[in-house]
Amino acid sequence: MRLKTYEYIGLLIGLFIALEPSYIHPDEHFQTLEPILQWWSGYKGTIAWEFLPENASRSITILKLYYTPMLWLNDYLFHLKPVGLLYLYRIQNYLLYTVIASLFLEFCEVSITHKTKAKFFIRTSYVTWVFQSHTFSNSLETILLLLLLFVCQYCIYEVRSGKSPSFITSFWIGALISIGIFNRMTFPAFLVLPLLSVFYHCFISHWLPLAFSVISASVVSAIIIFFDTKAYNPVNGKWIIAPWNNLVYNMNVDNIAQHGLHPRYTHLLVNLPLLCGPILILLLSKRYILKLPALSALSGVLILSLFKHQELRFLLPIVPAICASINLESFDTFIQGEVILTIWFIFNIVMGLLLGVFHQAGIISLISQFSSHDIPVHVWWKTYSPPTWIYANYNLTVSTTNFVDNIEYVENVNWNVTSNHVVDLKGSDVELLNETLTNFIEFTDSIQLILPNTVMEQLEPLRKEWNFTVDRETSQHLDLDHIDFPRWETMKPGLKLLNVSHIIS
């Protein structure tokens, strides 16, 4: 009863966090909502490298399939502004994930007691509250993986009951594999070991259903390729196979280096503990190590660890799989269970507040104040890249820095554009900020600078030439990228929008 109560509390906490403006990683916007809103509404904004026609490394068709229904409902029923639409998507993602995770657990080959406790851990995990509510392609990857494991488990049930795998089951196995790969090319990493098990139990003696799965995957892939090619409209006339383009890009170490290189143990020793916390102490049970969830988790960690670019969110799909695979035999008998439960709650509440409520939250709050309005020059400095689709601006110009021989410049900024212009200086140094302000002031005296409180002291060298006055600010903004412990001024939360004027000597 106690676990059930906490489980319901966890569900409510998740709904609360889904309606908070936290911002975890730029890809939650630029790989999903940014391109889909530009296509749907005609907004101008940032175009990520993956969606440039010459790269075409992300499937637009998958985005349309998943995000268009809510856009249609918003246009004809809700009429919400961009930030409201963002929260609507987060609630959709959160509820869909919790429902599918429950469905997935119903068909796991574990006891009723283990299913109940696995559901409890999933619903009280900050990963569910935060990552699964945000619009990451990894969040959708988790949902697709759970659906596929559910269908695979059902296929095993069919064979064990003396039947041949049905064509409907075989169709969905192939279709979900295809959709998952076109959503993220990392999807197969979680499938290698589970599909070997399904092949052994189901298809090794039933070749016709296997052939039907292969045909299903091929047909669905061909349809997606057709519509992606139509969307990108390549000038060379080649077919667009987005996951293949993405794989080719990531096989080049120089390309990956631009996004960050990590030791190959990062997933195992850093990311996995950060995602799962104290439940890793319970380890994997020998009883469940050969079940599909455990095989999927093991497969994902091992294969993704082969690559040098290892971000925390890449392991999101294994969290519910681990929750369904941990050893809970002594959970109610020994004091360790109570200790782990207490640590579990503290861990998830802290992580939920940090990432789900405060992390980079001021960015979305600030941009939402300018939705559907003309703006002057907005210079963003030392923040995550602003999700420009929230501006809801049909005339927006977006500029950013460029690199030449690993030196950062602002050569591509059009200084003549003095209205509806967003300049993303990212983490550039103060000299480049000064150069940007100097170039703009020749054409306009209406410049606004957005920066976190953690770097306010870095403006000191510019105050002899520039006057900075606070126009707007929010305290609900946590910048973890520029902390210099123990100096308090570099740990102060908050985000400011400053009006910039030139001091005439």
Side-chain angles (χ1 to χ4, degrees):
M1 183 65 183
R2 182 185 175 190
L3 289 184
K4 203 68 177 178
T5 301
Y6 287 150
E7 183 183 322
Y8 290 140
I9 293 174
L11 284 173
L12 292 176
I13 293 174
L15 284 174
F16 165 76
I17 288 179
L19 295 174
E20 288 296 310
S22 71
Y23 180 7
I24 305 173
H25 190 281
D27 285 352
E28 68 181 279
H29 293 281
F30 297 110
Q31 289 183 356
T32 52
L33 295 181
E34 192 76 46
I36 201 67
L37 263 296
Q38 290 181 30
W39 165 75
W40 179 268
S41 301
Y43 298 151
K44 299 298 182 183
T46 306
I47 301 177
W49 69 267
E50 298 102 319
F51 295 95
L52 295 173
E54 59 268 26
N55 297 322
S57 297
R58 293 283 176 181
S59 173
I60 296 178
T61 303
I62 298 299
L63 293 181
K64 290 180 179 179
L65 284 173
Y66 188 69
Y67 289 99
T68 296
M70 191 60 73
L71 289 173
W72 186 88
L73 285 175
N74 187 56
D75 281 357
Y76 294 99
L77 183 61
F78 301 121
H79 307 294
L80 296 174
K81 293 182 178 181
V83 71
L85 179 62
L86 174 65
Y87 295 147
L88 202 60
Y89 274 124
R90 289 185 176 180
I91 292 175
Q92 168 193 281
N93 292 350
Y94 175 70
L95 294 179
L96 184 62
Y97 170 72
T98 54
V99 169
I100 290 178
S102 298
L103 180 67
F104 157 75
L105 290 174
E106 287 303 314
F107 278 82
C108 284
E109 290 187 322
V110 296
S111 67
I112 297 297
T113 302
H114 281 69
K115 288 177 183 177
T116 300
K117 290 176 180 176
K119 186 183 295 185
F120 159 77
F121 281 120
I122 289 175
R123 292 185 173 180
T124 55
S125 168
Y126 86 92
V127 174
T128 299
W129 302 339
V130 181
F131 284 96
Q132 288 302 147
S133 65
H134 285 230
T135 51
F136 287 107
S137 60
N138 311 85
S139 305
L140 179 56
E141 184 178 35
T142 306
I143 292 173
L144 292 171
L145 178 64
L146 294 182
L147 284 173
L148 180 57
L149 293 179
F150 164 76
V151 176
C152 287
Q153 188 64 66
Y154 186 78
C155 183
I156 294 174
Y157 285 161
E158 287 181 321
V159 174
R160 286 179 177 173
S161 63
K163 302 176 183 178
S164 173
S166 67
F167 286 117
I168 294 178
T169 303
S170 301
F171 166 81
W172 280 112
I173 289 177
L176 286 170
I177 290 174
S178 174
I179 294 171
I181 292 174
F182 276 86
N183 174 62
R184 285 189 64 84
M185 64 94 177
T186 55
F187 193 63
F190 305 99
L191 303 180
V192 173
L193 295 181
L195 288 184
L196 286 175
S197 178
V198 172
F199 177 79
Y200 174 77
H201 287 98
C202 302
F203 292 133
I204 197 169
S205 56
H206 299 89
W207 289 97
L208 190 58
L210 174 61
F212 195 74
S213 289
V214 173
I215 293 172
S216 169
S218 301
V219 170
V220 172
S221 297
I223 293 172
I224 297 173
I225 290 170
F226 173 80
F227 283 104
D228 277 346
T229 303
K230 189 176 181 179
Y232 280 109
N233 192 25
V235 294
N236 55 18
K238 292 183 178 180
W239 293 103
I240 297 298
I241 307 177
W244 173 256
N245 294 339
N246 201 305
L247 179 62
V248 170
Y249 177 90
N250 282 280
M251 292 301 290
N252 188 326
V253 177
D254 292 335
N255 291 336
I256 301 177
Q258 298 179 40
H259 306 279
L261 297 177
H262 308 92
R264 286 194 169 91
Y265 56 77
T266 302
H267 276 325
L268 185 63
L269 299 184
V270 179
N271 294 338
L272 194 57
L274 281 175
L275 286 173
C276 298
I279 62 172
L280 287 180
I281 299 173
L282 301 173
L283 301 177
L284 293 173
S285 170
K286 293 180 180 179
R287 182 178 177 184
Y288 302 121
I289 194 64
L290 295 180
K291 305 304 181 184
L292 294 186
L295 289 173
S296 180
L298 182 62
S299 180
V301 172
L302 290 178
I303 294 177
L304 292 180
S305 293
L306 297 176
F307 297 91
K308 291 185 177 181
H309 182 52
Q310 301 187 14
E311 294 185 28
L312 180 74
R313 60 194 173 91
F314 292 175
L315 293 186
L316 290 186
I318 74 169
V319 175
I322 286 180
C323 289
S325 307
I326 54 179
N327 181 8
L328 298 171
E329 297 295 343
S330 61
F331 188 78
D332 289 325
T333 308
F334 298 97
I335 187 65
Q336 294 96 307
E338 292 296 322
V339 172
I340 291 173
L341 187 64
T342 302
I343 298 174
W344 171 256
F345 271 110
I346 295 173
F347 169 76
N348 285 289
I349 290 296
V350 170
M351 295 297 288
L353 288 173
L354 283 176
L355 295 179
V357 177
F358 297 106
H359 190 262
Q360 298 285 335
I363 295 175
I364 292 174
S365 297
L366 191 145
I367 295 181
S368 64
Q369 299 176 38
F370 297 96
S371 290
S372 302
H373 293 88
D374 288 335
I375 62 169
V377 175
H378 274 188
V379 178
W380 293 79
W381 188 52
K382 303 289 187 180
T383 71
Y384 278 9
S385 296
T388 48
W389 71 273
I390 300 180
Y391 277 106
N393 194 310
Y394 296 98
N395 301 301
L396 196 67
T397 298
V398 180
S399 303
T400 189
T401 60
N402 64 294
F403 285 86
V404 178
D405 296 329
N406 293 322
I407 300 176
E408 200 167 14
Y409 296 94
V410 283
E411 297 174 331
N412 297 333
V413 179
N414 189 343
W415 312 110
N416 292 304
V417 180
T418 56
S419 64
N420 297 314
H421 194 172
V422 171
V423 181
D424 180 14
L425 290 184
K426 300 179 180 178
S428 60
D429 56 33
V430 70
E431 287 78 14
L432 205 62
L433 170 62
N434 185 48
E435 180 182 345
T436 300
L437 299 179
T438 301
N439 287 331
F440 268 123
I441 204 66
E442 295 182 13
F443 299 95
T444 181
D445 57 0
S446 185
I447 306 171
Q448 294 182 318
L449 174 65
I450 302 101
L451 76 168
N453 286 338
T454 52
V455 298
M456 280 295 293
E457 66 168 6
Q458 295 186 33
L459 292 180
E460 290 304 318
L462 305 184
R463 292 188 181 276
K464 294 180 180 180
E465 185 176 354
W466 302 97
N467 186 40
F468 303 100
T469 57
V470 177
D471 184 284
R472 306 171 193 229
E473 62 180 319
T474 176
S475 59
Q476 188 180 342
H477 182 90
L478 186 61
D479 172 28
L480 300 177
D481 297 323
H482 303 98
I483 293 177
D484 185 14
F485 187 81
R487 296 167 59 214
W488 163 247
E489 58 270 21
T490 69
M491 295 183 285
K492 187 178 180 181
L495 183 77
K496 283 184 171 65
L497 183 145
L498 308 176
N499 289 322
V500 182
S501 58
H502 192 251
I503 299 176
I504 300 176
S505 55

